[in-house]
Structure formats: structure tokens, C-alpha cells
Amino acid sequence: MTETTYKPVVVWSKPEAERAGTPLLVLFHGYLSNEQDLMGLVPGLPAESTVAAVRAPVALGPGYTWFPLMHEADFSLEKVTKAAADLWSWLDSVKDRHSSVSLLGFSMGMAVATALLRHRPAEIAAVVGLSGFAVPAGGDAFFDDEAVKAARPPLFWGQDQADPVISADKVEFTHAWANEHVDLTKVLYAGIGHGVSAQELAHVKEFLTYKVLNA
């Protein structure tokens, strides 16, 4: 039996003929959502980038999930790393057509984006996390946090301190991990709850323009 490359459901902002040589920005949606959810952000992102929004692999309720919620009995780090490893398999099939690869994750999608970064940090130009979190590595060798710390890749993290979804322990861990390992740009937004504001999206565009496009 031959191993086949993982092929997730992906929606693209540009037709294939217009993607070559452009910076790739991959979007990861949140829990119970789908690949269309974050495409509404595209008009507010750098026009030079090709945006690819990926569907999580596990169908659940009205949408999809990357892995079980962390407080659920069937959660495991193995399920997190399996999702990330599969995504790297897909990224390896597309990344060479692009000038760089950056990642943007909303909510649970930020956990996915940071897991990808923590596996092969040298290959990721920048990460954006919106109303999300990173997962504790628990000693799993998949997470090469020492390599992340050495590289100090740029990470933008936008959050409302009153976010009703992301628990305080997740925020506390993520803040501690980010301060130690990445070049962190952390911005607090009052009144956005578990969402994304126009002001935040403008900050994300500025961050990507400066860190990825060097403009």
C-alpha cells in the first residue's frame, strides 16, 4: 500500500495561473467552522499574497474541527500533531511555488498555526493568531520549541481580554510561551469578544506587509 499525500479541501483567493511566486498565506478556521469562514478577511489582507483557506479534517456538528477540545476525554497531543503533520504534507506539495509561507489561525486555528510553526519554524515567514491559543507541548518531540526560540519568528496575537471562549489558562500559557519563543506583537482589543474587528484586520495587514513583504 503506497502512502498518498494528504489533500485537504482548500479555497484559494487567486486562480492557479496567478499564484506562482506570490507569498502564500494559509488560513485555519476555528472549532465547528469551515474553510469559507475566514475568506471574508481576504479584502483586508495584503493583495500581493495568495490566500488559501483550509478545511479541518474532522466533520462535527455544523462544521469541522482540527482535534477534540482540550478538556474533552478524547483529546490528545497525538491528534494535534497528526493534524499538523498532515498539513505539512499538503504544504510541502504547494509551498515551492511561492516566495514564502505565512499562517493565520482563528481560535483553535491559532493552535494549528502555531503547531505548524513549532514543527518547522525555519520555513514559516510569520504567524497571525486571532482570538486563539497555543497548546502545551507536553514533551512531544514534534514541537521543536528550541528551534523556534533560536529563530524568534514574528507572531501577531490579537485578543480581547474579555473573550468568552478562550479560557484564562490557555491565554496564560500562550502568553508565556510566546514571550519566550517568538518575536511577539500582542494587541488587546476591547469589545470584540471572540471575533475580529476592522481595526484588528488593519493591524494584521500592516504586520504582514512589514514582516513578510518587507514593505
Side-chain angles (χ1 to χ4, degrees):
M1 182 177 176
T2 57
E3 187 174 334
T4 56
T5 302
Y6 170 70
K7 293 181 179 178
V9 174
V10 182
V11 290
W12 297 84
S13 65
K14 298 182 191 295
E16 190 167 1
E18 297 176 15
R19 298 175 200 163
T22 60
L24 177 62
L25 176 61
V26 187
L27 310 186
F28 304 104
H29 63 77
Y31 182 65
L32 303 187
S33 191
N34 62 62
E35 69 282 3
Q36 294 290 345
D37 183 53
L38 298 178
M39 289 301 287
L41 302 180
V42 170
L45 295 169
E48 298 90 337
S49 297
T50 292
V51 177
V54 184
R55 178 190 293 177
V58 182
L60 185 66
Y64 300 85
T65 188
W66 301 98
F67 49 84
L69 296 174
M70 290 177 68
H71 64 266
E72 293 178 340
D74 57 345
F75 171 82
S76 69
L77 268 181
E78 184 180 358
K79 291 178 179 177
V80 178
T81 60
K82 173 67 164 61
D86 282 345
L87 285 165
W88 263 118
S89 173
W90 169 73
L91 272 171
D92 281 336
S93 73
V94 299
K95 65 182 176 63
D96 290 346
R97 302 172 209 164
H98 297 274
S99 57
S100 65
V101 177
S102 299
L103 311 173
L104 182 155
F106 175 77
S107 193
M108 182 187 277
M110 180 180 173
V112 174
T114 51
L116 285 164
L117 172 74
R118 294 161 76 184
H119 188 54
R120 286 159 62 176
E123 299 178 54
I124 301 299
V127 174
V128 174
L130 306 177
S131 301
F133 60 97
V135 298
D140 194 307
F142 184 88
F143 300 93
D144 193 353
D145 279 346
E146 285 305 308
V148 179
K149 190 174 183 177
R152 288 276 175 180
L155 170 68
F156 178 98
W157 181 20
Q159 177 209 359
D160 186 340
Q161 283 184 303
D163 187 320
V165 174
I166 307 303
S167 58
D169 62 319
K170 290 185 180 67
V171 172
E172 184 177 340
F173 169 79
T174 304
H175 198 221
W177 172 83
N179 277 333
E180 186 177 349
H181 294 89
V182 301
D183 176 13
L184 177 63
T185 301
K186 186 172 191 291
V187 186
L188 296 176
Y189 300 92
I192 68 168
H194 193 61
V196 181
S197 69
Q199 180 190 38
E200 183 178 24
L201 186 56
H203 290 159
V204 169
K205 183 176 182 178
E206 290 172 7
F207 171 83
L208 292 171
T209 298
Y210 177 67
K211 297 293 187 180
V212 179
L213 304 178
N214 301 312

